[in-house]
Amino acid sequence: MSQPNQLPPSRENPSPPKGPSGKPVLAWFTQRRLIGLSLAITSLVLWPFTEWSWWPLAGALAFGFLVRILRLDQLLPGWSGIATLAVAAVWLVNITTGWSWAILLGLLVLALGVPRLPRFELLIIGVVLVVVGAVGAIWWRIGDEQVRAEQRAQDSAFLRVSGLPPTPVRALRALLAYIGKNDPGNGHPEAPGGACGLLSPVARAEFASANNAPDCTSAVRLLAGKVTDPLRYPKVIENQVKTKETGISASLDACQLSWEPPMNSAPAGDPGPQLGRLELQKQMNAGWLIMSYKTSC
């Protein structure tokens, strides 16, 4: 008896591909597992954007522990782990950027679309959401890094000027004190400290040239060798220093300084060399920086 002819498989409802065991290849990808995988991927993608903060992960673990203690996992068997991943993913989304929601929703749409293969509508929507969210998150990250870099630069600049003297005359006295102690600073171009830290880069070059020195540090050491009384050298009589202050700018005549009388058996006369004319400017409403140095008096 002849076998009836077998009909070819329908093209409209093709049978899913099967593995060696006879089960569909996508059998492992249940809806629950796909949702959990989407939440885990979202957490891993967003975690670096938080500077590797452990708080979202710790919060998710605490939530999972609380669910087990209160036996809430019995209400939705098999979903307690998914709920824990959801807490981590939503926490990370909330502390990063709004673009992260597109990544999370796109991965969840992909989780819904995989079981519906070979229909690709949901997969296409999910991929578009993930790509848009990823591009937006990267763009946000670049902008955020630029803002942070500017903020760090401002903080660093304010830190440098916060130690500057509060008045032009105090800047002069600080300069004299550093010269008397033979303290030019550490030589760093951005924050040299010492005497050179009171001068702008232009003023340092002028200060060195005026003293026939190769740099500011050498000029300070050269002048320090001419100081006879380091303790008295910065004690100028402030009300006799000719100063002209206009807003955030000031000019100061240090060509004819007068010092306080010597104490005990200290040598009479000037305790050190006269300087020159100083042009100063107030920095970030914090302190005064010597912007220019001239020896002509």
Side-chain angles (χ1 to χ4, degrees), residues 5-76:
N5 295 331
Q6 296 182 351
L7 296 176
S10 174
R11 294 184 178 180
E12 296 181 359
N13 298 298
S15 59
K18 297 182 179 181
S21 61
K23 296 182 179 180
V25 174
L26 299 178
W28 184 88
F29 295 98
T30 63
Q31 198 78 78
R32 185 173 60 188
R33 287 174 175 172
L34 288 171
I35 292 175
L37 185 61
S38 300
L39 295 171
I41 292 175
T42 301
S43 300
L44 291 175
V45 169
L46 297 181
W47 193 22
F49 289 91
T50 66
E51 306 295 340
W52 307 101
S53 172
W54 288 94
W55 285 110
L57 305 183
L61 292 176
F63 173 81
F65 181 74
L66 186 64
V67 168
R68 287 296 183 91
I69 292 295
L70 299 179
R71 307 298 295 173
L72 297 178
D73 53 334
Q74 295 181 354
L75 299 177
L76 292 173

Side-chain angles (χ1 to χ4, degrees), residues 106-217:
L107 290 172
L108 291 176
V109 170
L110 287 174
L112 297 175
V114 169
R116 289 168 172 77
L117 287 173
R119 300 184 62 180
F120 293 94
E121 293 86 350
L122 288 179
L123 292 181
I124 294 174
I125 295 175
V127 169
V128 171
L129 285 172
V130 170
V131 171
V132 171
V135 172
I138 293 172
W139 173 79
W140 166 81
R141 181 64 173 181
I142 294 174
D144 184 63
E145 282 297 328
Q146 291 177 347
V147 171
R148 291 188 181 188
E150 292 174 358
Q151 185 62 46
R152 286 193 297 266
Q154 291 179 358
D155 293 342
S156 177
F158 183 78
L159 183 63
R160 290 197 300 271
V161 303
S162 60
L164 292 175
T167 66
V169 176
R170 292 291 181 87
L172 169 64
R173 295 189 64 173
L175 179 62
L176 296 174
Y178 282 127
I179 293 174
K181 293 186 294 185
N182 194 10
D183 181 9
N186 58 31
H188 193 281
E190 294 298 325
C196 296
L198 300 173
L199 288 81
S200 70
V202 172
R204 289 175 216 162
E206 293 174 343
F207 185 69
S209 176
N211 291 280
N212 296 318
D215 50 42
C216 180
T217 298

